[in-house]
Amino acid sequence: MTIISLPGSSGYLDASNNRKVSYFSNPYVLGLTFVAGIGGLLFGYDTGVISGALLYIKDDFPEVNQSSFLQETIVSMALVGAMIGAAAGGWINDYFGRKKATLSADVVFLLGSVVMAAAPGPYILILGRLLVGLGVGVASVTAPVYIAEASPSEIRGGLVSTNVLMITGGQFLSYLVNLAFTEIPGTWRWMLGVAGVPAAIQFVLMLFLPESPRWLYMKKDKSEAAAVLAKIYDPYRLEEEIDQLATALEEERLRKQAVSYLDVFRKKEIRLAFLAGAGLQAFQQFTGINTVMYYSPTIVQMAGFKSNQLALLLSLIVALMNAMGTVVGIYLIDHFGRKKLALTSLSGVIVSLILLAVAFILESSTSGNVGAYGWIAVIGLALYIAFFAPGMGPVPWTVNSEIYPESYRGMCGGMSATVNWISNLIVAQSFLSLAEAVGTGVTFLILAGIAVMAFVFVAVFVPETKGLSFEEMEKIWKEKAWGNGSGKEPLLESRS
């Protein structure tokens, strides 16, 4: 079967039966994507809501107001939980399946939301943040893999990026909720407690959805897998997909050995894939995205806007741009390609971070009312999101959902997501303290330097994966590891 890109179109043509494959061509796949993507909504809501809630938590608990470390701990304890959840999530996904992993994440997240809303003091609140983080960590591994395994390869990037749209949409929703509850008693309790609603909705909807067809075929029931695949592909394509799964299953049986975490570092082709995937996840965080999202109200106040409500309103605009940028990314990732999109995104991120740094350095030398430098800082934040959201937002999650062999997908996906959360934790735990020590402007300059390193890393280590099947990507890593023994041009170069 040949897949032909249609210039200027929003889809691809399946040459075997002249059927156009596009993002909206299969409502069933789109429904799976959006229900699974509620996990991304939980991820994004928790990321965004704490930034606004923290402003009011400081008002209720004087000890929090007096300690930057306690503020950072309230934010970052969810990241500790997410780190643990992501590490365990890979194993849960491979052993129990994507569906049960999602259901378990929903239960833990809902429990954490209740604990946070009822917390009598900062330390119980921190416990609730840990529970919520565990749920988010498992969901962050599960949703991209579940979506990728139910997606036709030619639109997989856009569908997996929908999960990132749900993340950014969750962040935007969190700022709306923050604004809605600013005048209500128990402000921050409502902000944090309402997070349990989407978890409950996903739990109910997920009960009616199937397990990932690839997991079913490889681990459990081939006939059930075929029934799910028949809802995703037409008869022409279905036969080819089942043949590819049968080949992958036979190769796994021939290995005659259990998959282990050590294989990720022992086997060169797996090691190269993990380096690319984990590196993308680390650089996504170290270029500062969740610094912007967690602390955007605080950054706005540092720029000179002292009102809590005004800070939240300006942060809402930043979150809206983040969501809109992700919509652009959904289109570009399957047309422009993962690698080119990441490099273009990083170029703009570097410029935006330098602009932010200059604005804060100059603003610190003035005093009094908000001046031009404060507004330049806010514009810099908006530009940062405009460049980051379409590229470095969706690309790391998309690439990590597709570059690993079937038997390592859950494991490596969990490990790379853990790298993301560890990096996230380091940034969240250190940003305010670093800004106090060296100044906000210098902190943004450091992030700009890291973004330059990220650009070089993507250029050197990350291949283009646009439109490739899982089996074709497995061959790419073998060629990179051991050379193109057939003497032919590498498969990647012929397809990109």
Side-chain angles (χ1 to χ4, degrees):
M1 184 195 70
T2 305
I3 299 295
I4 304 171
S5 174
L6 296 177
S9 76
S10 59
Y12 296 79
L13 192 65
D14 179 344
S16 64
N17 62 353
N18 294 324
R19 184 187 176 195
K20 187 179 177 183
V21 180
S22 71
Y23 183 87
F24 295 103
S25 62
N26 190 322
Y28 180 76
V29 174
L30 209 54
L32 290 178
T33 298
F34 275 96
V35 174
I38 295 175
L41 185 75
L42 299 178
F43 180 170
Y45 184 87
D46 182 70
T47 299
V49 75
I50 194 61
S51 62
L54 192 59
L55 299 174
Y56 297 93
I57 291 169
K58 289 189 292 184
D59 292 340
D60 275 9
F61 301 132
E63 61 266 49
V64 176
N65 190 43
Q66 295 164 10
S67 171
S68 290
F69 177 78
L70 202 52
Q71 292 173 40
E72 290 170 343
T73 302
I74 289 171
V75 171
S76 59
M77 189 51 65
L79 306 182
V80 173
M83 186 174 64
I84 298 168
W91 176 80
I92 293 170
N93 269 267
D94 283 341
Y95 193 79
F96 294 104
R98 312 342 181 184
K99 181 174 179 175
K100 288 180 180 177
T102 302
L103 294 172
S104 65
D106 289 331
V107 171
V108 176
F109 191 96
L110 183 57
L111 178 61
S113 298
V114 173
V115 172
M116 288 191 301
Y123 298 102
I124 299 298
L125 175 60
I126 288 169
L127 173 62
R129 297 285 295 155
L130 177 67
L131 290 172
V132 163
L134 288 170
V136 167
V138 175
S140 71
V141 177
T142 308
V145 172
Y146 183 84
I147 294 169
E149 291 183 342
S151 302
S153 59
E154 57 272 23
I155 57 170
R156 185 176 55 239
L159 290 170
V160 175
S161 295
T162 301
N163 184 59
V164 182
L165 174 62
M166 297 293 272
I167 295 173
T168 57
Q171 290 169 338
F172 178 68
L173 176 64
S174 72
Y175 286 116
L176 284 178
V177 170
N178 284 349
L179 279 173
F181 288 119
T182 53
E183 301 297 332
I184 295 176
T187 301
W188 62 268
R189 297 182 188 278
W190 285 102
M191 291 175 177
L192 299 179
V194 77
V197 174
I201 292 172
Q202 185 183 43
F203 183 91
V204 173
L205 293 177
M206 203 72 197
L207 293 173
F208 298 97
L209 292 182
E211 180 54 80
S212 156
R214 293 186 71 91
W215 187 89
L216 282 172
Y217 194 94
M218 303 295 282
K219 305 281 186 179
K220 188 180 178 184
D221 189 330
K222 295 181 181 60
S223 61
E224 189 178 346
V228 177
L229 288 168
K231 297 179 181 179
I232 298 172
Y233 300 106
D234 58 48
Y236 298 94
R237 180 74 174 270
L238 177 61
E239 183 178 352
E240 181 177 333
E241 293 295 324
I242 291 176
D243 286 345
Q244 289 180 349
L245 281 172
T247 301
L249 181 59
E250 183 61 26
E251 288 178 357
E252 187 171 313
R253 284 174 177 165
L254 290 174
R255 292 189 184 108
K256 293 183 179 179
Q257 62 181 33
V259 172
S260 75
Y261 283 94
L262 289 176
D263 291 342
V264 177
F265 305 100
R266 280 197 301 238
K267 295 186 175 182
K268 189 174 181 181
E269 62 269 31
I270 307 298
R271 185 169 70 244
L272 288 173
F274 180 68
L275 172 66
L280 276 172
Q281 295 284 32
F283 279 120
Q284 184 191 64
Q285 295 304 318
F286 282 119
T287 50
I289 178 57
N290 279 325
T291 293
V292 172
M293 300 314 299
Y294 286 136
Y295 295 114
S296 56
T298 305
I299 290 171
V300 168
Q301 288 186 330
M302 291 166 73
F305 301 89
K306 299 303 182 184
S307 163
N308 281 359
Q309 285 185 302
L310 179 57
L312 287 175
L313 181 60
L314 291 171
S315 299
L316 178 66
I317 296 171
V318 172
L320 178 61
M321 290 193 66
N322 197 16
M324 292 173 62
T326 308
V327 173
V328 175
I330 287 174
Y331 174 81
L332 292 177
I333 200 163
D334 281 321
H335 292 77
F336 199 49
R338 284 71 155 145
K339 184 170 184 173
K340 291 178 183 177
L341 189 57
L343 291 173
T344 303
S345 174
L346 285 167
S347 299
V349 163
I350 292 166
V351 173
S352 301
L353 287 170
I354 291 173
L355 179 63
L356 271 169
V358 170
F360 273 98
I361 290 170
L362 294 176
E363 192 269 343
S364 66
S365 65
T366 65
S367 59
N369 296 327
V370 176
Y373 302 134
W375 283 106
I376 290 172
V378 173
I379 291 169
L381 284 177
L383 286 175
Y384 174 94
I385 291 296
F387 282 114
F388 186 98
M392 281 302 289
V395 167
W397 295 104
T398 300
V399 169
N400 273 280
S401 73
E402 62 190 6
I403 59 173
Y404 305 118
E406 177 69 33
S407 53
Y408 293 91
R409 191 166 300 130
M411 180 186 297
C412 289
M415 291 171 65
S416 64
T418 303
V419 170
N420 183 292
W421 288 112
I422 291 172
S423 305
N424 195 334
L425 174 63
I426 293 170
V427 173
Q429 191 69 24
S430 62
F431 176 76
L432 285 181
S433 299
L434 185 61
E436 288 175 1
V438 300
T440 310
V442 175
T443 302
F444 280 120
L445 275 181
I446 293 171
L447 294 176
I450 294 171
V452 171
M453 290 189 286
F455 185 96
V456 174
F457 176 86
V458 172
V460 174
F461 293 107
V462 179
E464 181 55 73
T465 59
K466 179 183 73 171
L468 300 180
S469 70
F470 291 113
E471 290 71 26
E472 288 170 329
M473 278 182 281
E474 193 169 346
K475 292 177 183 177
I476 286 171
W477 295 114
K478 289 178 179 177
E479 290 173 2
K480 282 183 169 292
W482 310 111
N484 187 21
S486 65
K488 297 179 182 178
E489 183 183 20
L491 176 63
L492 175 64
E493 299 301 325
S494 66
R495 289 289 300 266
S496 62

